[in-house]
Amino acid sequence: MEKNIRDGVAEQLLPRQIRLVQSLADFQMAYSAVEFMCELDEDRLVTRVERRRYRCFEDTAVIAYGRAFANANNLPMLSFKQINISPNPDERALHERLLERRNKVVAHSDADRQRISFTTECFSWENKQVMMPRLDFDDALAFFAEREALVAWFSTLISATRKRLFKQVQSMSEIRFVRDHTLTVSSNAEDG
């Protein structure tokens, strides 16, 4: 059992309610990351280092989005039904692609999704033959062309999650729930 250090007792929320709150934060993170991608002009040439920076934003969006739809320790995954939305076919396809990207590329390096090139070249250097490795890997932006669709989809999810959360708290008494691993101690530590 966890106790909040500040007030001694942490009020309890159900895991599905915690998931709803955390999902809102995750969708907002994903939205912000895609907004950074939207700053990039598609006609501007960028260096590979810049492109990798934008890839970091894209990967952050994919990870944050995917968290809501994955089971976590003691938290169920979010469902569209829970936030009262029915994705249209385009939104559903985007959802599936985001989750597939998370599961096969961003969170894992599945062999069937790798795009790498590794070659060697032989050079003479100080009268020795030296094999030089050359590596190239995919750092492209998978969702760049769909960044506006992502913004719209994430906005829909944020709005629906906010509405659901607002509706839920109307039937509850005041809540002062805090879960902050930096402020909690296990009850076993108090016993010792």
Side-chain angles (χ1 to χ4, degrees), residues 21-33 64 154 158 162:
V21 172
Q22 183 61 54
S23 294
L24 181 56
D26 289 335
F27 294 148
Q28 290 171 332
M29 176 70 73
Y31 180 92
S32 294
F154 295 161
I158 289 168
R162 281 183 176 153

Side-chain angles (χ1 to χ4, degrees), residues 20-79:
L20 194 61
V21 172
Q22 183 61 54
S23 294
L24 181 56
D26 289 335
F27 294 148
Q28 290 171 332
M29 176 70 73
Y31 180 92
S32 294
V34 173
E35 280 289 304
F36 284 120
M37 286 175 50
C38 289
E39 294 174 2
L40 181 59
D41 179 3
E42 64 188 55
D43 296 326
R44 186 173 75 97
L45 293 176
V46 295
T47 66
R48 190 159 200 180
V49 171
E50 280 182 292
R51 189 173 60 245
R52 284 187 201 139
R53 181 168 60 102
Y54 285 103
R55 171 71 183 268
C56 291
F57 292 129
E58 183 178 86
D59 287 354
T60 296
V62 168
I63 290 167
Y65 179 84
R67 273 195 299 258
F69 301 102
N71 283 316
N73 189 16
N74 300 321
L75 291 182
M77 70 175 75
L78 185 72
S79 70

